[in-house]
């Protein structure tokens, strides 16, 4: 027997409301968003980040306290911290040097990949050996850098730093007003971050870990 | 309908248009029966998971078409096992196995004719349409086999990509690029005092460059400076940051000459100042630091590129405008100072992440 009549109309299946799936999707997206946001959130440095990928300005003419010329290219794959200060500096310089010392101490073996140098902005009073002795008070691995006033001023200009000599007191002492920012050159040799006065050792340590990656 | 070996089994006597598919490619395959209408005097329907009442015995011949995988004696086991009969039922219940995914609409009215399997006249047509419905069923089956985890990952990835693209394209937040460090300097100003790069820390500074005895060719520079100063003061909120303007003289460090140039240009000496330095210092500051071309070897004919530069409160160059455009320089500079002001005001706490993302995605005006 064959069926020669059209099949009866059958109502289409009613669509079920799929709210459980919608809720589940929203929850999963939320959780993934949290995890993804935590994993891929941009790192925010504690200083001012420079986006340019141009190399850090040359320090031609300046020398380390042992007389060797400063060549930033020799520190490839290292992070170089540069500070412009002077040994008679009453407050800002020792504070910054101490913060850098504490920050590098927390890095363990990686501390050897952080090169810290202080360029004297008072080359008249700070001798070649004197600037070296000064920075080694804070850390044996810190480097002192010396140059004539003109040489230092030219280099400092390109690092956004400047300095002025104050009036001499009766005993001949004077203060030097100077830019107290700390500059960080990354492992690619790019001037990457500028830290203001007041940056803490913890903040520096966190940023250094990031820069060393 | 196919057997375990994939060969087709005839379904003579079944109305092809009543049969969606009965597909069994081995015991692990899914059986799908669509629009298999069985007659019912009452027009009632079978619920999902119900055993066929009464007519169940009549359905039994259908089982004769199903290959026995030897898994059991129950003809429904492993094969055609679900019969959804109600229009309310979306997915059939299981009769004897969990392998059925879909069995739709088994009515009662046509049960009789359907059960007379083996009739020859509709067999060919049924085979052709059965093959077609096999393909449809196979396609549907393939779609259902996509790993749910893969689908989730794909969906989430798509959402993430769309979100990133939307951020990059729509640029809900705009920022000025952090180009490079502005040079450090100590210059002489029009009042005989000094003006240093450190003075500008915490302020937004607009720099321009011109010789002190510049003629009409500098009028547009001065006009732009005046307009920017007025419009920023009246319409831009920089929060705690001040706005100041400095014109660096390219050919003099004498306060008298600087003062004359200031008077000529309309610089007030407070918000807008003129400053100069020795040739050596200018070479470092203007040439190497600001990277502005100038040639002051001819004192009466200083060549230079009219350039505006915006420096933020941290000493970073955030905007360089080395040439004029069709658009008003004053409007553009004011707008960009405004963007910087918004960043100063809002890039704090968690919002700082959004601004960092804007920098990463180059959301520049």
């Amino acid at each position: 027997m064959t069926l020669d009549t059209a099949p009866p109309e059958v109502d289409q299946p009613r669509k079920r409301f799929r709210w459980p799936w919608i809720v589940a999707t929203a929850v999963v997206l939320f959780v993934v968003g949290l995890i993804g946001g935590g994993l891929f959130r941009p790192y925010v440095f504690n200083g001012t980040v420079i986006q340019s990928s141009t190399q850090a300005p040359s320090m031609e003419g300046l020398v380390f306290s042992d007389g060797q010329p400063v060549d930033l290219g020799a520190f490839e794959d290292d992070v170089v911290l540069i500070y412009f200060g002077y040994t008679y500096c009453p407050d800002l310089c020792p504070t910054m040097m101490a913060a850098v010392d504490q920050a590098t101490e927390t890095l363990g073996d990686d501390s050897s990949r952080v090169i810290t140098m202080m360029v004297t902005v008072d080359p008249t009073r700070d001798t070649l050996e004197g600037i070296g002795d000064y920075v080694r008070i804070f850390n044996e691995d810190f480097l002192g850098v010396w140059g004539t006033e003109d040489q230092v001023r030219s280099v400092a200009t390109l690092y956004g730093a400047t300095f002025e000599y104050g009036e001499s007191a009766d005993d001949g002492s004077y203060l030097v007003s100077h830019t107290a920012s700390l500059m960080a050159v990354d492992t690619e040799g790019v001037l990457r971050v500028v830290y203001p006065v007041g940056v803490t050792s913890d903040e520096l340590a966190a940023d250094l870990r990031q820069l060393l990656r | 309908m196919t057997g375990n070996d994939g060969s087709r089994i005839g379904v003579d006597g079944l109305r092809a248009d009543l049969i969606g598919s009965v597909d069994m490619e081995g015991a692990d395959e899914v059986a799908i029966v669509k629009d298999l209408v069985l007659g019912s005097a009452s027009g009632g329907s079978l619920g999902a998971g119900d055993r066929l009442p009464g007519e169940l015995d009549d359905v039994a011949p259908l089982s004769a078409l199903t290959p026995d995988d030897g898994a059991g004696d129950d003809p429904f086991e492993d094969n055609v096992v679900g019969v959804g009969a109600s229009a309310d039922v979306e997915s059939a219940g299981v009769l004897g196995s969990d392998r059925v995914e879909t069995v739709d609409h088994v009515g009662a009215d046509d049960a009789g004719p359907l059960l007379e399997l083996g009739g020859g006249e509709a067999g060919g047509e049924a085979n052709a349409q059965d093959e077609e419905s096999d393909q449809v069923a196979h396609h549907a089956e393939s779609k259902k086999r996509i790993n749910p985890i893969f689908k989730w990952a794909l969906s989430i990835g798509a959402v993430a990509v769309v979100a990133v693209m939307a951020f990059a394209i729509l640029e809900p937040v705009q920022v000025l690029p952090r180009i490079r460090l502005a040079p450090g300097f100590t210059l002489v100003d029009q009042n005989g005092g000094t003006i240093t790069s450190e003075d500008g820390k915490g302020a937004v500074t607009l720099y321009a460059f011109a010789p002190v005895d510049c003629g009409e060719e500098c009028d547009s520079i001065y006009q732009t400076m005046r307009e920017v100063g007025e419009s920023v003061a009246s319409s831009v909120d920089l929060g705690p940051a001040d706005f100041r303007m400095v014109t660096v003289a390219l050919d003099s460090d004498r306060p008298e000459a600087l003062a004359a140039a200031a008077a000529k240009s309309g610089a007030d000496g407070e918000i807008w100042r003129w400053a100069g330095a020795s040739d050596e210092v200018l070479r470092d500051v203007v040439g190497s630091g600001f990277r502005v071309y100038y040639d002051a070897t001819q004192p009466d004919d200083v060549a230079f590129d009219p350039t505006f530069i915006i420096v933020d409160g941290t000493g970073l160059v955030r905007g360089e405008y080395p040439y004029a455009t069709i658009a008003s320089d004053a409007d553009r500079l004011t707008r960009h100072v405004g963007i910087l002001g918004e960043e100063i005001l809002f890039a704090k706490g968690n919002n700082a992440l959004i601004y960092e993302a804007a920098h990463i995605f180059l959301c520049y005006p």
Side-chain angles (χ1 to χ4, degrees):
Chain A
M1 180 178 175
T2 59
L3 185 65
D4 54 2
T5 57
E9 291 290 330
V10 179
D11 292 338
Q12 291 297 313
R14 188 176 61 193
K15 293 285 184 185
R16 282 182 179 171
F17 181 55
R18 295 178 178 268
W19 64 267
W21 289 104
I22 294 172
V23 171
T25 303
V27 169
V28 169
L29 282 176
F30 180 72
V31 171
V32 169
L34 285 179
I35 296 171
L39 291 177
F40 300 109
R41 62 181 288 179
Y43 182 81
V44 180
F45 283 91
N46 294 292
T48 301
V49 177
I50 303 167
Q51 284 171 297
S52 168
S53 58
T54 54
Q55 295 291 295
S58 166
M59 301 182 83
E60 188 178 358
L62 306 187
V63 294
F64 291 119
S65 55
D66 62 0
Q68 294 297 312
V70 178
D71 176 14
L72 293 179
F75 303 113
E76 194 175 356
D77 293 333
D78 296 329
V79 171
V80 180
L81 299 176
I82 301 169
Y83 185 78
F84 292 88
Y86 65 114
T87 62
Y88 289 83
C89 182
D91 42 20
L92 295 178
C93 309
T95 303
M96 184 63 87
M97 288 294 104
V100 173
D101 174 54
Q102 290 175 19
T104 53
E105 288 296 323
T106 65
L107 298 178
D109 292 340
D110 281 339
S111 64
S112 62
R113 294 180 58 204
V114 178
I115 310 297
T116 304
M117 55 179 72
M118 181 169 131
V119 182
T120 178
V121 294
D122 187 13
T124 304
R125 288 187 295 183
D126 293 342
T127 62
L128 192 64
E129 296 78 16
I131 185 67
D133 293 340
Y134 176 78
V135 295
R136 280 192 289 273
I137 293 172
F138 301 94
N139 189 306
E140 276 295 317
D141 296 324
F142 285 5
L143 300 170
V145 177
W146 188 91
T148 65
E149 181 186 334
D150 287 345
Q151 288 171 331
V152 172
R153 193 175 291 281
S154 290
V155 171
T157 295
L158 301 182
Y159 280 90
T162 188
F163 53 92
E164 291 179 88
Y165 301 111
E167 293 184 3
S168 296
D170 294 339
D171 60 356
S173 64
Y174 55 87
L175 294 175
V176 182
S177 300
H178 63 100
T179 300
S181 303
L182 178 74
M183 290 80 173
V185 178
D186 68 15
T187 55
E188 304 292 326
V190 174
L191 181 55
R192 184 58 67 202
V193 191
V194 178
Y195 295 99
V197 174
V199 65
T200 67
S201 57
D202 289 341
E203 291 170 341
L204 269 178
D207 285 7
L208 287 172
R209 288 190 193 94
Q210 185 71 19
L211 288 169
L212 287 168
R213 283 184 179 178
Chain B
M1 179 175 284
T2 57
N4 279 342
D5 60 355
S7 62
R8 298 193 61 76
I9 298 174
V11 197
D12 294 343
L14 276 179
R15 277 285 302 263
D17 57 345
L18 299 180
I19 301 175
S21 72
V22 180
D23 191 0
M24 291 163 288
E25 295 182 1
D28 291 333
E29 297 298 327
V30 176
I32 299 175
V33 178
K34 288 187 175 178
D35 297 323
L36 176 60
V37 182
L38 298 176
S40 170
S42 63
S45 58
L46 299 174
D50 288 343
R51 276 277 183 185
L52 288 173
E55 297 86 353
L56 183 58
D57 291 336
D58 295 331
V59 179
L62 183 63
S63 68
L65 297 171
T66 63
D68 190 355
D69 61 359
D73 294 335
D74 187 345
F76 288 96
E77 186 176 344
D78 294 332
N79 296 313
V80 181
V81 288
V83 180
S86 169
D88 292 335
V89 177
E90 193 171 287
S91 178
V94 174
L95 284 175
S97 171
D98 57 359
R99 288 196 171 86
V100 171
E101 289 193 1
T102 306
V103 179
D104 290 339
H105 314 311
V106 179
D109 292 341
D110 299 320
L114 279 171
L115 296 175
E116 283 205 15
L117 304 178
E121 59 185 82
E125 185 185 353
N127 277 339
Q129 297 207 11
D130 197 20
E131 187 175 350
E132 183 182 340
S133 47
D134 251 356
Q135 292 174 354
V136 173
H138 185 72
H139 179 65
E141 185 183 349
S142 299
K143 286 176 69 176
K144 289 178 180 177
R145 280 179 183 170
I146 296 175
N147 190 330
I149 296 175
F150 177 72
K151 285 201 300 190
W152 277 106
L154 202 63
S155 303
I156 291 166
V159 168
V161 169
V162 168
V164 167
M165 288 181 65
F167 191 93
I169 293 171
L170 301 177
E171 296 185 354
V173 172
Q174 282 195 328
V175 291
L176 297 183
R178 296 185 286 219
I179 300 173
R180 65 173 179 274
L181 266 182
F185 58 78
T186 301
L187 305 176
V188 177
D189 75 358
Q190 65 204 59
N191 301 316
T194 58
I195 177 171
T196 74
S197 50
E198 291 299 303
D199 297 339
K201 294 292 171 67
V204 175
T205 307
L206 174 64
Y207 289 93
F209 307 87
V212 289
D213 58 351
C214 191
E216 292 180 355
E217 62 269 29
C218 287
D219 285 349
S220 62
I221 298 174
Y222 303 152
Q223 176 69 19
T224 297
M225 296 286 276
R226 283 194 295 271
E227 288 179 11
V228 172
E230 290 168 4
S231 56
V232 167
S234 63
S235 63
V236 174
D237 183 5
L238 291 174
D242 293 326
F243 179 70
R244 53 179 224 150
M245 300 185 293
V246 175
T247 300
V248 179
L250 299 173
D251 57 352
S252 177
D253 58 351
R254 293 183 301 109
E256 303 80 28
L258 296 170
K264 180 181 175 183
S265 60
D268 59 7
E270 294 181 5
I271 292 177
W272 181 9
R273 297 156 77 182
W274 276 72
S278 65
D279 291 344
E280 286 182 355
V281 172
L282 280 182
R283 272 198 295 273
D284 284 341
V285 174
V286 178
S288 301
F290 282 116
R291 302 184 185 179
V292 172
Y293 166 77
Y294 78 102
D295 180 1
T297 51
Q298 301 293 327
D300 297 331
D301 186 17
V302 177
F304 69 105
D305 283 341
T307 302
F308 296 99
I309 290 177
I310 295 176
V311 175
D312 70 13
T314 63
L316 286 187
V317 174
R318 304 297 295 272
E320 289 180 303
Y321 313 88
Y323 50 83
T325 63
I326 297 174
S328 162
D329 281 334
D331 289 347
R332 183 172 52 156
L333 290 167
T334 303
R335 184 161 51 86
H336 290 188
V337 171
I339 291 172
L340 204 49
E342 288 179 3
E343 186 174 351
I344 292 170
L345 288 171
F346 301 119
K348 298 169 182 171
N350 289 332
N351 284 342
L353 290 173
I354 297 173
Y355 279 86
E356 282 303 312
H359 280 288
I360 290 171
F361 290 114
L362 310 179
C363 298
Y364 302 145

